[in-house]
Amino acid sequence: QSVLTQPPSVSAAPGQKVTISCSGSSSNIGNNYVSWYQQLPGTAPKLLIYENNKRPSGIPDRFSGSKSGTSATLDITGLQTGDEADYYCGTWDSSLSAWVFGGGTNLTVL
Amino acid sequence: QVQLVESGGGLVKPGGSLRLSCAASGFTFSDYYMSWIRQAPGKGLEWVSYISSSGTTVYYADSVKGRFTISRDNAKNSLYLQLSSLRAEDTAVYYCARETAYSYGPWGEGTLVTVSS
């Protein structure tokens, strides 16, 4: 059971928008920055969003992040088949003194 | 460019030990905190351990505390993870990752550790 809760799967058609949620508590999301990671099949995770809503260079603006209270969301617009991957949220948990990840969300682009 | 390359994985018997290494290049290694993160087959990401830039501060997940030891050699641009008292549930791909702005990026390609008799 992960400390951060994500839906196991989401799906949408090409060109559409999808939102992936990440729910936590005051000891993690509520008081720390959230980051998001994309893991394409058979590859290592890649940083998509840091400090809640910032994109590293090279990440398209189709990917955006936000945070409100103890929850965070990742939005992906203009879906492409190449976006099919697992997506993870992560943050520091001040009570556990540990970094925590969500269980991951598998995105299918129908 | 920034690169992290893990090595040292393999097949080990329960109760055995292994030392993983991560060679860093393309950035000033001594300026960054580093972590090990693992992923069991077909499962999600699990943070394992974290070390400060100087090596003076370390944290461990409860699941590995007392069995794994993280260390670094800034002169060799290398990160290490000593795995001891290994269990079947430690079977995973182990990634090293650089901490930047309260996040992890980049990640290495990972090294597979299999614990089995």
Side-chain angles (χ1 to χ4, degrees):
Chain A
Q1 195 78 351
S2 302
V3 172
L4 304 180
T5 301
Q6 297 181 236
S9 63
V10 295
S11 62
Q16 296 301 302
K17 172 186 173 181
V18 71
T19 296
I20 299 173
S21 61
C22 177
S23 177
S25 68
S26 58
S27 66
N28 42 66
I29 292 177
N31 284 284
N32 294 292
Y33 286 117
V34 176
S35 50
W36 289 90
Y37 305 87
Q38 177 192 58
Q39 187 174 31
L40 296 168
T43 70
K46 180 174 79 171
L47 178 63
L48 271 185
I49 298 289
Y50 68 98
E51 290 183 358
N52 302 332
N53 55 19
K54 297 178 181 176
R55 285 186 308 276
S57 62
I59 301 299
D61 60 6
R62 301 188 298 107
F63 295 90
S64 63
S66 63
K67 186 182 100 167
S68 178
T70 59
S71 293
T73 58
L74 173 70
D75 288 328
I76 311 173
T77 60
L79 278 170
Q80 303 173 1
T81 55
D83 295 333
E84 289 198 327
D86 292 322
Y87 292 84
Y88 296 89
C89 57
T91 188
W92 180 255
D93 191 298
S94 305
S95 294
L96 298 175
S97 290
W99 187 272
V100 292
F101 288 102
T105 299
N106 180 256
L107 168 64
T108 300
V109 181
L110 302 166
Chain B
Q1 78 280 19
V2 176
Q3 193 171 18
L4 299 170
V5 179
E6 303 92 337
S7 61
L11 175 63
V12 61
K13 289 181 168 53
S17 298
L18 210 55
R19 189 196 197 204
L20 307 183
S21 299
C22 171
S25 60
F27 65 102
T28 305
F29 181 70
S30 58
D31 284 348
Y32 290 87
Y33 289 23
M34 299 291 296
S35 280
W36 288 97
I37 298 161
R38 69 184 180 182
Q39 186 170 36
K43 302 296 185 182
L45 301 174
E46 180 188 15
W47 172 82
V48 172
S49 183
Y50 150 116
I51 186 167
S52 62
S53 53
S54 64
T56 55
T57 301
V58 297
Y59 288 101
Y60 297 97
D62 285 345
S63 58
V64 307
K65 205 170 291 184
R67 300 188 300 121
F68 291 8
T69 302
I70 191 171
S71 62
R72 65 191 297 162
D73 186 335
N74 286 341
K76 293 184 178 180
N77 292 335
S78 293
L79 175 72
Y80 306 103
L81 187 68
Q82 179 70 43
L83 289 65
S84 303
S85 302
L86 282 163
R87 308 165 179 166
E89 54 265 36
D90 295 317
T91 294
V93 174
Y94 286 73
Y95 297 102
C96 69
R98 185 183 76 174
E99 182 180 331
T100 307
Y102 311 100
S103 60
Y104 288 113
W107 300 51
E109 290 305 309
T111 187
L112 176 62
V113 172
T114 303
V115 183
S116 174
S117 55

